[in-house]
């Protein structure tokens, strides 16, 4: 979406930017409610499952905010190479964090169902934070490699040049393409194998457990399956540049609509799935959300009512 040049009409550019801003704001508000509930409840902060979940939500909020800001900046102000690289560094890193985080959550569900006696020792909060740090390192290195390749192959004057802030335009050397193919194949293979293997293991465990444990096993199985669906949608963002290029070549007059639609589907929609898949389905989390916000509303009503009564007394 950030490849949009200044060839679009003002109405098309304004409509696209307004749509992405409003949708991004709504999604961040929904995700923000889950983040607020997490930090207000100590019970969630002591559970590695929710630690990984809230990291996914915060990571998606960072990625969505940076993507929308970059989208609007591309239309409004000229961007030089250096600030564009910084923005893309954040976006690419957080984009790769999501599938790795989903793989970690799938493994945690597998251990909870198939290795329940060892779950407390293996899946501690400290190890969850260590896994999050490892995820950021593994995602940051490929994103930083793109900048290192530019430093090695391009003159330093390139960093002061005005550019179209899009990965396929900035990182277009053969080294970038080879690195991108290798990283995507390794990442896709690792994450998909992890999700598939954990799902099959949980599926096999569901047949062996007693009736009392079938409900929790079924819930874990459905959660991992939903992770797989979410993972497929997240992975589509890696292929969206190639989809954009093919569609724009076929229908050049529909360029703005194509870019906007792909951006909404492959970059913004997955950011909305995290709270719906994990938070809204989780009874403990959904009940805490209703509790916190119902309490907030009741407090607001109690503060408003005395004011209205005092006004009535004076009248």
């Amino acid at each position: 979406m950030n490849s949009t040049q200044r060839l679009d009409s003002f109405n098309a550019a304004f409509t696209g930017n307004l749509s992405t801003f409003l949708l991004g704001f709504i999604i961040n508000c929904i995700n923000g409610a889950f983040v607020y509930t997490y930090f207000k409840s100590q019970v969630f902060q002591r559970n590695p499952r929710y630690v990984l979940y809230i990291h996914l939500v915060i990571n998606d909020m960072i990625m969505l905010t940076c993507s929308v800001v970059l989208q609007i900046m591309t239309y409004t102000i000229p961007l030089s190479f250096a600030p564009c690289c910084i923005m893309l560094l954040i976006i690419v890193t957080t984009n790769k964090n999501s599938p790795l985080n989903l793989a970690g959550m799938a493994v945690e569900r597998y251990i909870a169902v198939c290795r329940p006696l060892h779950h407390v020792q293996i899946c501690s909060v400290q190890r969850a934070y260590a896994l999050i740090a490892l995820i950021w390192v593994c995602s940051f290195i490929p994103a930083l490699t793109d900048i290192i390749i530019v430093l090695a192959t391009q003159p330093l004057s390139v960093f002061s040049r005005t550019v179209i802030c899009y990965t396929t335009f900035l990182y277009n050397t053969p080294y970038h393409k080879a690195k991108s193919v290798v990283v995507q194949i390794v990442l896709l293979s690792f994450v998909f194998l992890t999700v598939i293997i954990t799902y099959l293991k949980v599926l096999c465990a569901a047949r062996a457990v007693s009736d009392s444990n079938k409900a929790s096993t079924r819930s874990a199985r459905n959660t991992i399956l939903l992770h797989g669906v979410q993972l497929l949608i997240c992975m589509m963002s890696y292929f969206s540049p190639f989809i954009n290029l093919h569609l724009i070549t076929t229908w050049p007059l529909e360029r703005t609509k194509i870019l906007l639609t792909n951006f909404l589907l492959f970059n913004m929609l997955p950011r909305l799935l995290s709270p719906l898949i994990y938070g809204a389905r989780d009874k403990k989390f959904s009940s805490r959300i209703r509790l916190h916000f119902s309490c907030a509303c009741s407090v607001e009503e109690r503060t408003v009512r005395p004011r209205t009564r005092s006004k009535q007394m004076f009248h």
Side-chain angles (χ1 to χ4, degrees):
M1 188 66 183
N2 298 324
S3 61
T4 304
Q5 298 172 344
R6 306 306 197 274
L7 300 177
D8 302 317
S9 64
F10 174 78
N11 290 335
F14 179 79
T15 303
N17 285 322
L18 182 63
S19 301
T20 55
F21 172 78
L22 291 177
L23 184 58
F25 180 77
I26 293 172
I27 294 175
N28 273 347
C29 286
I30 296 173
N31 287 339
F34 286 90
V35 175
Y36 173 81
T37 303
Y38 171 82
F39 285 106
K40 291 291 289 185
S41 304
Q42 293 289 333
V43 64
F44 296 132
Q45 300 177 36
R46 294 191 294 265
N47 192 326
R49 174 187 178 188
Y50 295 107
V51 172
L52 292 174
Y53 163 68
I54 211 64
H55 170 254
L56 180 65
V57 174
I58 295 174
N59 179 81
D60 287 348
M61 292 178 68
I62 295 172
M63 179 189 171
L64 183 60
T65 301
C66 292
S67 299
V68 173
V69 169
L70 184 58
Q71 162 67 21
I72 296 174
M73 289 174 64
T74 302
Y75 274 99
T76 54
I77 60 175
L79 285 174
S80 60
F81 202 100
C84 179
C85 284
I86 296 174
M87 293 290 290
L88 290 180
L89 181 67
I90 300 173
I91 294 172
V92 172
T93 301
T94 51
N95 191 27
K96 287 182 171 58
N97 281 346
S98 295
L100 291 174
N101 201 107
L102 288 172
M105 294 167 72
V107 172
E108 188 275 333
R109 287 293 83 201
Y110 156 74
I111 297 174
V113 173
C114 300
R115 300 287 187 272
L117 299 179
H118 303 88
H119 182 263
V120 177
Q121 291 79 16
I122 299 175
C123 299
S124 63
V125 174
Q126 289 77 15
R127 290 190 176 183
Y129 285 125
L131 177 61
I132 291 172
L134 180 62
I135 288 173
W136 275 92
V137 171
C138 293
S139 300
F140 180 76
I141 291 175
L144 183 63
T145 304
D146 288 328
I147 301 178
I148 295 175
I149 294 175
V150 172
L151 289 172
T153 58
Q154 301 290 335
L156 292 178
S157 59
V158 72
F159 286 93
S160 59
R161 188 181 65 192
T162 301
V163 295
I164 299 173
C165 196
Y166 197 56
T167 51
T168 54
F169 283 83
L170 262 67
Y171 309 135
N172 54 7
T173 66
Y175 304 103
H176 286 110
K177 295 177 182 178
K179 190 269 317 177
S180 178
V181 170
V182 172
V183 170
Q184 289 186 16
I185 290 176
V186 172
L187 181 65
L188 284 169
S189 302
F190 171 76
V191 175
F192 270 117
L193 286 175
T194 301
V195 173
I196 291 173
I197 292 174
T198 52
Y199 176 76
L200 293 177
K201 290 285 188 179
V202 172
L203 189 63
C204 294
R207 300 175 181 178
V209 297
S210 59
D211 294 335
S212 60
N213 294 328
K214 282 188 181 297
S216 60
T217 306
R218 190 183 307 113
S219 176
R221 183 193 63 194
N222 293 337
T223 300
I224 295 176
L225 183 61
L226 289 172
H227 284 338
V229 175
Q230 185 181 6
L231 187 62
L232 288 174
I233 299 176
C234 287
M235 289 303 181
M236 288 301 295
S237 63
Y238 295 128
F239 304 104
S240 61
F242 307 102
I243 297 174
N244 288 339
L245 182 61
H246 175 72
L247 294 178
I248 291 172
T249 304
T250 307
W251 295 286
L253 297 180
E254 302 295 331
R255 181 174 180 276
T256 301
K257 294 180 181 178
I258 292 171
L259 292 172
L260 177 62
T261 302
N262 284 351
F263 182 74
L264 295 178
L265 289 178
F266 302 138
N267 289 277
M268 302 191 75
L269 179 61
R271 270 59 280 165
L272 180 61
L273 294 180
S274 297
L276 297 181
I277 288 178
Y278 228 85
R281 288 180 63 252
D282 190 279
K283 294 181 180 179
K284 185 184 296 185
F285 218 109
S286 58
S287 63
R288 288 300 178 107
I289 287 179
R290 289 194 297 267
L291 176 64
H292 284 304
F293 286 94
S294 62
C295 290
C297 292
S298 61
V299 170
E300 183 178 355
E301 289 178 359
R302 287 196 296 268
T303 56
V304 170
R305 285 176 182 174
R307 294 177 184 176
T308 56
R309 290 177 181 175
S310 61
K311 289 182 180 180
Q312 291 173 358
M313 291 176 61
F314 283 110
H315 286 291

